Coordinates of all heavy atoms in Angstrom, one line a residue:
Chain B
R27 N 101.6 116.6 218.8 CA 102.6 116.8 219.8 C 103.9 117.4 219.4 O 104.7 117.8 220.1 CB 102.8 115.6 220.6 CG 101.5 115.0 221.3 CD 101.8 114.1 222.4 NE 100.5 113.7 223.0 CZ 99.9 112.5 222.7 NH1 100.5 111.6 221.9 NH2 98.7 112.2 223.2
R28 N 104.1 117.3 218.1 CA 105.4 117.8 217.5 C 105.2 118.8 216.5 O 104.4 118.6 215.6 CB 106.2 116.6 217.0 CG 106.5 115.5 218.0 CD 107.3 114.4 217.3 NE 106.6 113.9 216.2 CZ 107.2 113.7 215.0 NH1 108.6 113.8 214.9 NH2 106.6 113.2 213.9
F29 N 105.9 119.9 216.6 CA 105.7 121.0 215.6 C 107.0 121.6 215.2 O 108.0 121.5 215.8 CB 104.9 122.2 216.3 CG 103.5 121.8 216.6 CD1 103.1 121.2 217.8 CD2 102.4 122.2 215.7 CE1 101.8 120.9 218.1 CE2 101.1 121.9 216.0 CZ 100.8 121.2 217.2
L30 N 106.9 122.2 214.0 CA 108.0 123.1 213.5 C 107.5 124.5 213.4 O 106.3 124.7 213.1 CB 108.5 122.6 212.1 CG 109.5 121.5 212.0 CD1 109.9 121.4 210.5 CD2 110.7 121.7 212.8
L31 N 108.4 125.4 213.7 CA 108.0 126.9 213.6 C 109.0 127.5 212.5 O 110.2 127.4 212.6 CB 108.3 127.6 214.9 CG 107.7 128.9 215.1 CD1 106.1 129.0 215.1 CD2 108.1 129.6 216.4
T32 N 108.4 128.0 211.5 CA 109.2 128.6 210.4 C 108.7 130.0 210.1 O 107.5 130.4 210.2 CB 109.2 127.8 209.1 OG1 107.8 127.6 208.8 CG2 109.9 126.5 209.3
D33 N 109.6 131.0 209.8 CA 109.3 132.3 209.5 C 108.5 132.4 208.2 O 108.9 131.7 207.2 CB 110.5 133.2 209.4 CG 111.1 133.5 210.8 OD1 110.3 133.9 211.7 OD2 112.3 133.4 211.0
L34 N 107.5 133.2 208.2 CA 106.7 133.4 207.0 C 107.0 134.7 206.3 O 106.8 134.8 205.0 CB 105.2 133.5 207.3 CG 104.3 132.2 207.2 CD1 102.9 132.5 207.5 CD2 104.5 131.6 205.8
T35 N 107.4 135.7 207.0 CA 107.7 137.0 206.5 C 109.2 137.4 206.8 O 109.7 136.9 207.8 CB 106.7 138.1 207.0 OG1 106.8 138.0 208.5 CG2 105.3 137.8 206.6
D36 N 109.7 138.2 205.9 CA 111.1 138.5 206.1 C 111.4 139.3 207.4 O 112.4 139.2 208.0 CB 111.5 139.5 204.9 CG 111.7 138.7 203.6 OD1 111.8 137.4 203.8 OD2 111.7 139.3 202.6
D37 N 110.3 140.1 207.9 CA 110.6 140.8 209.1 C 110.2 140.0 210.3 O 110.2 140.5 211.4 CB 109.8 142.1 209.0 CG 108.3 141.8 208.9 OD1 107.9 140.7 208.9 OD2 107.5 142.8 208.9
R38 N 110.0 138.7 210.1 CA 109.7 137.8 211.2 C 108.5 138.1 212.1 O 108.4 137.7 213.2 CB 110.9 137.6 212.2 CG 112.1 137.2 211.5 CD 113.2 136.6 212.5 NE 114.4 136.2 211.9 CZ 115.5 137.0 211.8 NH1 115.5 138.2 212.4 NH2 116.5 136.5 211.2
T39 N 107.5 138.9 211.4 CA 106.3 139.2 212.1 C 105.4 138.0 212.2 O 104.7 137.9 213.3 CB 105.5 140.3 211.3 OG1 106.4 141.4 211.0 CG2 104.4 140.8 212.2
F40 N 105.4 137.2 211.2 CA 104.5 136.0 211.2 C 105.3 134.7 211.0 O 106.3 134.8 210.2 CB 103.5 136.1 210.1 CG 102.6 137.2 210.4 CD1 102.7 138.5 209.8 CD2 101.4 137.1 211.2 CE1 101.9 139.5 210.0 CE2 100.5 138.1 211.4 CZ 100.7 139.4 210.8
Q41 N 104.9 133.7 211.7 CA 105.5 132.4 211.5 C 104.4 131.3 211.2 O 103.3 131.6 211.3 CB 106.3 131.9 212.7 CG 107.5 132.6 213.1 CD 107.3 134.0 213.7 OE1 106.3 134.1 214.4 NE2 108.1 134.9 213.4
L42 N 104.9 130.2 210.7 CA 104.0 129.1 210.4 C 104.3 128.1 211.4 O 105.4 127.6 211.6 CB 104.1 128.5 209.0 CG 103.1 127.6 208.6 CD1 101.7 128.2 208.3 CD2 103.5 126.9 207.2
L43 N 103.2 127.6 212.2 CA 103.4 126.5 213.1 C 102.8 125.2 212.4 O 101.6 125.2 212.1 CB 102.5 126.8 214.4 CG 102.7 125.8 215.6 CD1 104.1 125.8 216.1 CD2 101.6 126.1 216.6
Q44 N 103.7 124.3 212.1 CA 103.3 123.1 211.4 C 103.3 121.9 212.2 O 104.4 121.7 212.9 CB 104.2 122.9 210.2 CG 104.1 123.9 209.1 CD 105.2 123.6 208.1 OE1 106.4 124.0 208.3 NE2 104.9 122.9 207.0
S45 N 102.3 121.1 212.2 CA 102.3 119.9 213.0 C 103.1 118.8 212.2 O 102.9 118.6 210.9 CB 100.8 119.4 213.2 OG 100.9 118.0 213.6
L46 N 103.9 118.2 212.9 CA 104.7 117.0 212.3 C 103.9 115.7 212.4 O 104.2 114.7 211.7 CB 106.1 116.8 212.9 CG 107.0 118.0 212.7 CD1 108.2 117.9 213.5 CD2 107.5 118.1 211.3
D47 N 102.8 115.7 213.2 CA 102.0 114.6 213.3 C 100.8 114.5 212.4 O 100.4 113.5 212.0 CB 101.6 114.5 214.8 CG 102.7 114.4 215.7 OD1 103.5 113.5 215.6 OD2 102.8 115.2 216.7
D48 N 100.4 115.7 212.0 CA 99.2 115.8 211.2 C 99.4 116.8 210.0 O 99.5 118.0 210.3 CB 98.0 116.3 212.0 CG 96.7 116.4 211.2 OD1 96.8 116.3 209.9 OD2 95.7 116.8 211.8
P49 N 99.7 116.3 208.8 CA 100.1 117.1 207.7 C 99.1 118.2 207.4 O 99.4 119.2 206.8 CB 100.3 116.2 206.6 CG 99.8 114.9 207.0 CD 99.6 114.9 208.4
D50 N 97.8 118.0 207.8 CA 96.8 119.0 207.5 C 96.7 120.1 208.5 O 96.0 121.0 208.4 CB 95.4 118.3 207.4 CG 95.3 117.5 206.2 OD1 95.9 117.8 205.2 OD2 94.5 116.4 206.3
L51 N 97.5 120.0 209.6 CA 97.4 120.9 210.7 C 98.6 122.0 210.6 O 99.7 121.6 210.9 CB 97.4 120.2 212.0 CG 97.4 121.1 213.3 CD1 96.2 122.1 213.3 CD2 97.4 120.2 214.6
S52 N 98.3 123.1 210.2 CA 99.3 124.2 210.3 C 98.5 125.5 210.6 O 97.3 125.6 210.3 CB 99.8 124.5 208.9 OG 100.6 123.5 208.5
M53 N 99.1 126.4 211.2 CA 98.5 127.7 211.4 C 99.5 128.8 211.4 O 100.7 128.6 211.8 CB 97.6 127.7 212.7 CG 98.3 127.3 214.0 SD 97.1 127.4 215.3 CE 96.3 125.8 215.2
V54 N 99.0 130.0 211.0 CA 99.9 131.2 211.0 C 99.9 131.6 212.4 O 98.9 131.6 213.1 CB 99.4 132.2 210.1 CG1 100.2 133.5 210.2 CG2 99.4 131.7 208.7
V55 N 101.0 132.1 212.9 CA 101.1 132.6 214.3 C 101.9 133.9 214.3 O 102.6 134.2 213.3 CB 101.8 131.6 215.3 CG1 100.9 130.4 215.4 CG2 103.2 131.3 214.9
S56 N 101.7 134.6 215.4 CA 102.4 135.9 215.4 C 102.7 136.3 216.9 O 101.9 135.8 217.8 CB 101.6 137.0 214.9 OG 102.3 138.2 214.8
V57 N 103.8 137.0 217.1 CA 104.0 137.5 218.5 C 103.1 138.6 218.8 O 103.0 139.6 218.1 CB 105.5 138.0 218.6 CG1 105.8 138.6 219.9 CG2 106.5 136.8 218.3
P58 N 102.3 138.5 219.9 CA 101.1 139.4 220.0 C 101.5 140.8 220.4 O 100.7 141.7 220.0 CB 100.4 138.7 221.2 CG 101.4 137.9 221.9 CD 102.3 137.4 220.9
W59 N 102.7 141.0 220.9 CA 103.0 142.4 221.4 C 103.2 143.4 220.2 O 103.2 144.6 220.4 CB 104.2 142.5 222.3 CG 104.0 141.7 223.5 CD1 103.3 142.2 224.6 CD2 104.3 140.4 223.8 NE1 103.1 141.3 225.5 CE2 103.8 140.1 225.1 CE3 104.9 139.4 223.2 CZ2 103.9 138.9 225.8 CZ3 105.1 138.1 223.8 CH2 104.5 138.0 225.0
L60 N 103.4 142.8 219.0 CA 103.6 143.7 217.9 C 102.3 144.4 217.6 O 102.3 145.5 217.0 CB 104.0 142.8 216.6 CG 105.3 142.0 216.8 CD1 105.4 141.1 215.6 CD2 106.5 143.0 216.8
F61 N 101.2 143.9 217.9 CA 99.9 144.4 217.6 C 99.1 144.9 218.9 O 98.3 145.8 218.9 CB 99.0 143.4 216.9 CG 99.7 142.9 215.6 CD1 100.2 141.7 215.6 CD2 99.7 143.7 214.5 CE1 100.8 141.2 214.5 CE2 100.3 143.3 213.4 CZ 100.9 142.0 213.3
F62 N 99.5 144.3 220.0 CA 98.9 144.6 221.3 C 99.9 144.7 222.3 O 100.2 143.9 223.1 CB 97.9 143.4 221.7 CG 96.8 143.2 220.6 CD1 97.0 142.1 219.8 CD2 95.7 144.0 220.5 CE1 95.9 141.8 218.8 CE2 94.7 143.8 219.6 CZ 94.9 142.7 218.7
P63 N 100.5 145.9 222.4 CA 101.7 146.1 223.2 C 101.3 146.0 224.7 O 102.3 145.7 225.5 CB 102.1 147.6 223.0 CG 101.3 148.1 221.8 CD 100.2 147.1 221.5
D64 N 100.1 146.1 225.1 CA 99.8 146.0 226.5 C 99.3 144.6 226.9 O 99.0 144.3 228.1 CB 98.6 147.0 226.9 CG 99.1 148.4 226.8 OD1 100.3 148.6 226.8 OD2 98.2 149.3 226.7
Y65 N 99.4 143.7 226.0 CA 98.9 142.3 226.3 C 99.9 141.7 227.3 O 101.1 141.8 227.2 CB 99.0 141.5 225.0 CG 98.7 140.1 225.1 CD1 97.4 139.7 225.6 CD2 99.6 139.1 224.7 CE1 97.1 138.3 225.6 CE2 99.2 137.7 224.8 CZ 97.9 137.3 225.2 OH 97.6 136.0 225.3
A66 N 99.3 141.2 228.4 CA 100.2 140.8 229.5 C 99.6 139.4 230.0 O 99.0 139.4 231.1 CB 100.2 141.8 230.6
P67 N 99.8 138.3 229.3 CA 99.3 137.1 229.8 C 100.0 136.6 231.0 O 101.2 136.7 231.1 CB 99.6 136.1 228.6 CG 100.8 136.7 227.9 CD 100.6 138.2 228.1
E68 N 99.1 136.1 232.0 CA 99.7 135.7 233.2 C 99.6 134.2 233.3 O 98.5 133.6 233.2 CB 98.9 136.3 234.4 CG 99.3 137.7 234.6 CD 98.5 138.3 235.8 OE1 98.0 137.6 236.6 OE2 98.4 139.6 235.8
L69 N 100.7 133.6 233.5 CA 100.7 132.1 233.7 C 100.7 131.8 235.2 O 101.6 132.2 235.9 CB 102.0 131.5 233.1 CG 102.3 131.7 231.7 CD1 103.5 130.9 231.2 CD2 101.1 131.2 230.8
D70 N 99.7 130.9 235.5 CA 99.7 130.5 236.9 C 100.8 129.5 237.2 O 101.5 129.0 236.3 CB 98.3 130.1 237.3 CG 97.9 128.9 236.6 OD1 98.8 128.1 236.1 OD2 96.7 128.5 236.6
D71 N 100.9 129.1 238.5 CA 102.0 128.2 238.9 C 101.9 126.9 238.1 O 102.9 126.3 237.8 CB 101.8 127.9 240.4 CG 102.3 128.9 241.3 OD1 103.0 129.8 240.8 OD2 102.1 128.8 242.5
A72 N 100.7 126.4 238.0 CA 100.5 125.1 237.3 C 101.1 125.1 235.9 O 101.8 124.2 235.5 CB 99.0 124.7 237.2
E73 N 100.8 126.2 235.2 CA 101.4 126.4 233.9 C 102.9 126.5 233.8 O 103.6 125.9 233.0 CB 100.7 127.6 233.1 CG 99.2 127.5 233.0 CD 98.7 126.6 232.0 OE1 99.6 125.9 231.4 OE2 97.5 126.5 231.8
Q74 N 103.4 127.3 234.8 CA 104.8 127.5 234.8 C 105.5 126.2 235.2 O 106.6 125.9 234.5 CB 105.2 128.5 235.9 CG 104.8 129.9 235.4 CD 105.2 131.0 236.5 OE1 106.3 130.9 237.0 NE2 104.2 131.9 236.7
R75 N 105.0 125.4 236.0 CA 105.5 124.1 236.4 C 105.5 123.2 235.2 O 106.4 122.4 234.9 CB 104.9 123.5 237.6 CG 105.4 124.1 238.9 CD 104.4 123.9 240.0 NE 104.1 122.5 240.3 CZ 104.7 121.9 241.4 NH1 105.4 122.6 242.2 NH2 104.4 120.7 241.5
A76 N 104.3 123.1 234.5 CA 104.1 122.2 233.4 C 105.2 122.5 232.3 O 105.6 121.6 231.7 CB 102.7 122.4 232.8
L77 N 105.6 123.7 232.2 CA 106.6 124.1 231.2 C 108.0 124.2 231.8 O 108.9 124.5 231.0 CB 106.2 125.4 230.6 CG 105.0 125.4 229.7 CD1 104.6 126.8 229.3 CD2 105.3 124.6 228.4

Side-chain angles (χ1 to χ4, degrees):
Chain B
R27 299 199 180 101
R28 299 178 311 135
F29 290 88
L30 274 187
L31 192 67
T32 50
D33 285 314
L34 264 184
T35 53
D36 288 339
D37 61 1
R38 299 200 184 99
T39 310
F40 294 93
Q41 288 77 36
L42 190 69
L43 183 69
Q44 290 172 277
S45 167
L46 292 170
D47 300 304
D48 179 354
D50 290 329
L51 176 58
S52 291
M53 54 181 81
V54 175
V55 298
S56 183
V57 174
W59 294 281
L60 299 171
F61 304 101
F62 302 103
D64 293 341
Y65 179 59
E68 284 181 19
L69 297 188
D70 63 20
D71 280 350
E73 300 287 1
Q74 288 181 44
R75 279 158 63 106
L77 290 170

